[in-house]
Amino acid sequence: MLNSSPNSNGRVCTTQILDGFDRGSIDRAVSVLHSGGLVAFPTETVYGLGADGLNSESVAKIFEAKGRPSTNPLILHVSSINVAESLVRKWTDLAQKLADKFWPGPLTIILPASGIVPEIVRAGNPTVALRCPNHQIALELLTSFDGPLAAPSANKTTETSPTKPEHVLNSLAGKVDLILDGGRTVAGIESTIINLAETPPRLLRPGPICPKELEEIVGKLSRFEGTVPTEIAQIAPGMSQRHYAPKARLTIHEATELVTHYNELKQNTKEKIVAVVFGSEVALPPNCDHRRLPLEPYGASARLYAVLHDLDSQGYQEVLFQKPPLTEDWLAVTDRLSRAADGG
Ligand code: AMP
Ligand code: MG
């Protein structure tokens, strides 16, 4: 399948979608990557926008396609610990323990970079972010390409990350050469990021692997508390205030107040409004247009972005979300929702 759209930057404007489970598609993707192009591919978290991670010119195309500020560093995806070792100054015992336990998987590890990591990937930082994704297509691509792939989420900066190939196409048609179709992603939100370049290690972004699981291996983690100032957001752009945002206005409400807010809004506006709640316990009046996510953090994460994309494509303008539970296992969902909400 081919899809084209105008591109102000003069890049080739045809986006091809191929079945990622087909061997021939992987070969085609490798040849696109070797010639400096961009390939979107599924991982277990979200779809990534991949380029040759050791080629500065290819990596520059990622920033151009996403409209991503050059101050935001990228994650290098690797097929194995061996490849990761070649990209850091020193592969530490802690890194080894974390990789043994969580790789392939949704954990990104930050360490001081070796000399071969281009400056553009690191956004000038002395560190590099590394992850080995747990997805058949991603691993086959990485192994066949035989090198690291820089791959942020395959969407324009600040938009909701893609969990299906059509989300990639909606955001980046004409700006990515090839999309490997692997269906919907399983985890549905971005990886957990841990910075091992400081002591104690710091949680830079909550994700599918929760802090408690990391602390069993690394001991007490440092964390960012409350609103993240802009300078820190530069270290981990996923932490900037408005990110992962749908087109609709999104607000967050206690379960007990959700229906009142919904009814008030309904009376005062002609806009298309919807409530999103967790589980089946919140009682909603029959006239309340709503969606339900599982009252379980992994199930809710898996469907969160897909629901936001669906609501956007159905033309909703106001989304009233129930506030997730306050426990640690809900940290990643709470984080993504608060960044998707107006005002951060
Ligand atoms: P995404 O665009 O969702 O793939 O996000 C990539 C995340 O990895 C961003 O939040 C980056 O800030 C973070 N990251 C990548 N490299 C580094 C680094 N060297 N130091 C800190 N964070 C990094
Ligand atoms: Mg992103």
Side-chain angles (χ1 to χ4, degrees), residues 25 31 90 230 272 283:
S25 311
S31 108
K90 183 175 184 294
T230 329
K272 230 179 140 184

Side-chain angles (χ1 to χ4, degrees), residues 191-218:
S191 61
T192 304
I193 304 182
I194 184 171
N195 187 1
L196 293 184
E198 58 180 298
T199 312
R202 185 180 293 273
L203 180 72
L204 285 184
R205 177 170 75 187
I209 293 170
C210 75
K212 237 189 313 181
E213 293 177 88
L214 295 174
E215 286 182 333
E216 281 168 17
I217 292 177
V218 306

